[in-house]
Amino acid sequence: MTVARAKQRQLGDQRIRGVEGAGGDSGDPLGSGGPVGPLDDGASGVMGRTYRALTLGIVSVVLMIAFEATAVGTAMPIAARDLHGLGLYAFAFSGYFTTSLLAMVVSGQWCDRGGPLPPLTAGIAGFAAGLIVSGTAHTMGVFVLGRAVQGLGGGLVIVALYVVVGRAYPERLRPSVMAAFAASWVVPSIVGPLVSGTVTEQLGWRWVFLAIPVLVLLPLVVMLPALRRTAHEPAGGARPPMDGRRIWLAVALAAGAVLLQYAGQDLRPLSVVPAVAGAGLLVPAAVRLLPAGTFRAVRGLPTVVLMRGIAAGTFLAAESFIPLMLVTERGMSATLAGLSLAGGGLTWALGSYVQARPRLEPVRDRLVQAGMVMSAVAIAAVPLALDHAVPTVIVAVAWCVGGLGMGLVISSLSVLLLKVSPPSDAGANSAALQVSDSLSNVLLVAAAGTVFSALGGGSLAPATETVTAAATAHHPAAFAAVFVPSAVLALLGAGVARRLRPAP
């Protein structure tokens, strides 16, 4: 389950909660309680008559993303070997998130101007196109390019989904919608690695990428009619102009990330030039695109956005290298390596279900703290499998614990964001949340890839070896250098989570 990510904006009466406002005049810093949005008839649930078609449609989009993530994550180590690109392994992940940074900012403004329908359909098409490019690639460079195209589509989609949730559902239903999103990962987490591993070993990894675009048809058929009836128009008829300055900042952010990744890959003295240039572009752009005070963990919205980056980045940086570690260091097949992560999908859904319980609403910030501790423990346990005396099942058990923690964290942060976002800032704040998510993914996965390659991980095995053959060279230190820092940062995140609740 290699993870997924989103943002938005709008006007309304502050006394109306959820998509119609947050905070209001009740003095509740999180904006809970009070009336709800205009579509809340007081009786319908997410699967009631009012919301059933829309819920099925957007959940089917998440189902497509989930199956892609679990299937591609399983096939990725084999694809990298076949294309002689283990040294670029991390870029197959970070390339996706780099381009999604730009797409998220564009999608947030596109949604505010014309509703979520156009960016959602364009994003699904781009997502499918990227899979086809990667599936037909004959070099690792083209493969990474396909992942970048996929990132453009994914960035458009995830922001549009958040806009739909914020605009079409009343506040009381949003935790349940987030839980439904997490539940959509359950079947793909179990079936995805098994199907992907079998296809990879019997037919080849290319068929994993080329078959997934067929799943695009289900979301389009189910979702579009319901979406046209609910959340396709900007709220209040407002059509704010596209903010060219924010789009250029997003371009600078993505360009800076690319330069930093290039510098990390080419570890020569001259690499300091693109590294400095990348930092000069990325840092100012990130400061301006994210809410003021994000990097100082100011209470409330800034900390919500910061925590999303810490949680997503640390978990993905570790998860991206687990299948590769199990294949190259422990001689596991791609199928078994992928299935080692399947339990995390189940417990992620469980954690998201737990956070949706109404009685836990007052302690949502503590749920995030607990979830980050679970994630840190899970990541720290993974490198124990580098010792051949330790059963590999420890990875599966650890990822069940980590998945439970992430289910508590990610869904809770999404709910908190919508609560502290007034309608006029819903799009921008949702985009900021997803930018933080993707930026952290890019930087931490790229940093992990740099350290991994520097310690010899890029030469683990030649592309001619079979899937289950033992690697000719072992570099456990390269993997440990990926997992240990991620675990430490996740633990620090548990401390930062204490600042989620706004000051009185």
Side-chain angles (χ1 to χ4, degrees):
M1 189 179 73
T2 331
V3 193
R5 345 290 159 184
K7 319 336 173 224
Q8 326 60 358
R9 226 177 241 169
Q10 193 181 50
L11 289 168
D13 185 350
Q14 269 193 326
R15 294 172 299 165
I16 301 178
R17 305 296 176 175
V19 66
E20 295 300 303
D25 49 13
S26 67
D28 182 352
L30 288 181
S32 56
V36 291
L39 294 181
D40 183 9
D41 60 8
S44 298
V46 293
M47 292 302 293
R49 184 180 67 256
T50 304
Y51 303 105
R52 184 185 301 121
L54 182 61
T55 299
L56 289 174
I58 61 177
V59 165
S60 67
V61 176
V62 178
L63 188 68
M64 175 194 71
I65 294 172
F67 190 80
E68 181 274 340
T70 55
V72 168
T74 301
M76 196 77 77
I78 313 305
R81 267 192 191 171
D82 188 42
L83 297 173
H84 302 265
L86 277 174
L88 295 175
Y89 180 78
F91 291 87
F93 292 99
S94 60
Y96 177 100
F97 294 110
T98 299
T99 54
S100 69
L101 288 170
L102 172 60
M104 287 169 181
V105 175
V106 172
S107 184
Q109 300 211 13
W110 197 354
C111 287
D112 289 341
R113 180 168 175 76
L117 181 57
L120 194 57
T121 51
I124 291 175
F127 195 79
L131 284 165
I132 293 172
V133 172
S134 292
T136 57
H138 290 283
T139 65
M140 193 64 178
V142 175
F143 182 88
V144 172
L145 175 64
R147 293 287 289 166
V149 173
Q150 232 186 303
L152 289 172
L156 292 173
V157 167
I158 196 65
V159 174
L161 285 180
Y162 269 64
V163 173
V164 171
V165 174
R167 183 173 295 173
Y169 292 88
E171 182 183 345
R172 68 179 179 85
L173 294 182
R174 290 179 195 157
S176 297
V177 177
M178 296 302 173
F181 282 1
S184 300
W185 285 81
V186 173
V187 173
S189 295
I190 298 172
V191 177
L194 184 61
V195 172
S196 176
T198 301
V199 171
T200 298
E201 293 170 9
Q202 301 299 322
L203 300 177
W205 61 267
R206 295 182 185 278
W207 288 103
V208 174
F209 288 82
L210 296 176
I212 293 175
V214 177
L215 297 177
V216 168
L217 299 176
L218 176 63
L220 290 176
V221 170
V222 175
M223 173 187 60
L224 292 185
L227 191 56
R228 289 193 183 98
R229 293 194 302 268
T230 54
H232 68 290
E233 289 293 337
R239 285 183 175 270
M242 297 289 280
D243 187 343
R245 176 176 170 273
R246 289 187 64 83
I247 293 176
W248 279 113
L249 285 173
V251 171
L253 189 71
V258 169
L259 288 172
L260 284 173
Q261 291 173 73
Y262 172 78
Q265 183 66 26
D266 187 15
L267 298 177
R268 295 179 298 174
L270 285 178
S271 298
V272 70
V273 176
V276 171
L281 287 171
L282 185 144
V283 174
V287 169
R288 288 169 174 79
L289 282 172
L290 299 179
T294 295
F295 297 106
R296 293 182 287 112
V298 172
R299 287 186 176 275
L301 175 64
T303 298
V304 172
V305 172
L306 177 63
M307 280 302 307
R308 179 59 174 261
I310 294 174
T314 53
F315 198 76
L316 181 69
E319 187 178 60
S320 299
F321 284 84
I322 289 177
L324 185 64
M325 180 192 74
L326 293 176
V327 169
T328 59
E329 295 293 318
R330 298 302 298 265
M332 293 179 66
S333 68
T335 303
L336 289 178
L339 285 173
S340 297
L341 304 178
L346 295 171
T347 55
W348 188 310
L350 176 61
S352 189
Y353 171 80
V354 169
Q355 65 80 35
R357 300 306 90 199
R359 65 178 179 275
L360 295 178
E361 183 63 34
V363 294
R364 194 168 289 281
D365 53 331
R366 297 180 187 176
L367 292 179
V368 175
Q369 283 184 276
M372 290 304 300
V373 171
M374 293 181 198
S375 178
V377 170
I379 296 170
V382 168
L384 296 177
L386 291 167
D387 184 349
H388 285 243
V390 176
T392 55
V393 71
I394 192 173
V395 175
V397 173
W399 228 237
C400 286
V401 175
L404 179 62
M406 289 299 285
L408 294 174
V409 172
I410 297 299
S411 295
S412 291
L413 290 175
S414 298
V415 172
L416 287 173
L417 177 99
L418 292 174
K419 282 188 173 182
V420 299
S421 298
S424 60
D425 294 327
N429 289 346
S430 295
L433 187 78
Q434 296 304 323
V435 166
S436 176
D437 183 313
S438 288
L439 180 60
S440 177
N441 289 335
V442 169
L443 295 180
L444 293 183
V445 173
T450 299
V451 174
F452 180 74
S453 294
L455 293 177
S459 59
L460 277 169
T464 55
E465 286 191 323
T466 61
V467 172
T468 57
T472 57
H474 293 279
H475 296 281
F479 287 103
V482 170
F483 298 124
V484 174
S486 294
V488 172
L489 185 55
L491 192 59
L492 291 175
V496 175
R498 296 164 59 185
R499 300 181 62 80
L500 282 169
R501 187 174 291 271

